[in-house]
Amino acid sequence: MKYRCDACGYVYDPKLGDPDSGIAPGTPFADLPSDWVCPLCGVGTDMFSPEE
């Protein structure tokens, strides 16, 4: 499942991960490190909502 940043609209896609932040492709949103932040606006995972 993809998650969208409520602040800026960035979409975290587990299939792609976030290689620029050291997050490997295939990493589920629930398994992101606690210090991971949106690569566009810097908010934490608590500001993301599941995308339907």
Side-chain angles (χ1 to χ4, degrees):
M1 178 181 293
K2 297 177 184 178
Y3 284 77
R4 180 177 299 275
C5 177
D6 297 331
C8 74
Y10 169 82
V11 175
Y12 176 77
D13 185 344
K15 291 179 185 175
L16 304 176
D18 181 13
D20 292 340
S21 297
I23 306 300
T27 303
F29 187 81
D31 291 346
L32 290 172
S34 60
D35 62 348
W36 183 84
V37 295
C38 176
L40 297 184
C41 71
V43 300
T45 56
D46 60 326
M47 292 291 293
F48 279 72
S49 299
E51 189 175 63
E52 297 183 26

